[in-house]
Amino acid sequence: MSIALNHTIVETRDRDAGAAFLAEVLGLPAPYRYGPFTVVEVAGGTSLDFMDVDDPHPQHYAFLVGDDEFPVVAGRLRERGVPIYADPMQRRPGENTNDGGRGAYFSSPEGHNLEILTRPYGSGG
């Protein structure tokens, strides 16, 4: 049996702004509208469907990026003045080298704890 994540809903106060932020910093195609959602597509046919709610509940979303993409995404965040952190509690500024790769955490405008990493956890390195 082959199972893959198809989509998940991301709560936000402004679906267009939240989706645009994510697509822009990750260098993804422009979001599009589908029913009550603004959709950001990532690799593998997976999408994040941004939906307006009055009180978004912060979640964690981690994105596996290539070694060459990591500094580009980190640079986009710095250009926007978005701090990056080495830990999920966002206490140590900078990035980490977990599993022999690079990783960083940052907050989205709606308060989600986002992460970019170049190696999956437990992959060694």
Side-chain angles (χ1 to χ4, degrees):
M1 176 188 294
S2 176
I3 300 173
L5 179 65
N6 177 262
H7 69 276
T8 190
I9 294 174
V10 179
E11 295 182 351
T12 182
R13 284 191 176 87
D14 183 338
R15 65 185 177 172
D16 294 330
F21 171 82
L22 184 67
E24 289 167 9
V25 298
L26 294 181
L28 297 169
Y32 61 90
R33 288 275 181 102
Y34 182 77
F37 307 106
T38 300
V39 179
V40 175
E41 289 189 1
V42 296
T46 304
S47 68
L48 288 92
D49 301 354
F50 285 73
M51 181 178 76
D52 288 340
V53 298
D54 292 333
D55 187 23
H57 295 89
Q59 298 293 316
H60 174 67
Y61 300 96
F63 300 93
L64 190 61
V65 301
D67 291 322
D68 293 338
E69 296 166 317
F70 185 94
V72 175
V73 174
R76 287 187 194 115
L77 292 166
R78 287 186 186 98
E79 287 171 7
R80 290 172 163 264
V82 177
I84 62 171
Y85 298 91
D87 64 305
M89 303 312 287
Q90 298 188 358
R91 293 185 181 135
R92 290 183 296 133
E95 59 186 66
N96 65 59
T97 56
N98 296 341
D99 289 298
R102 296 170 76 182
Y105 297 84
F106 59 100
S107 293
S108 70
E110 55 272 310
H112 295 298
N113 186 9
L114 306 181
E115 177 183 11
I116 53 172
L117 65 160
T118 61
R119 302 283 184 280
Y121 290 127
S123 64

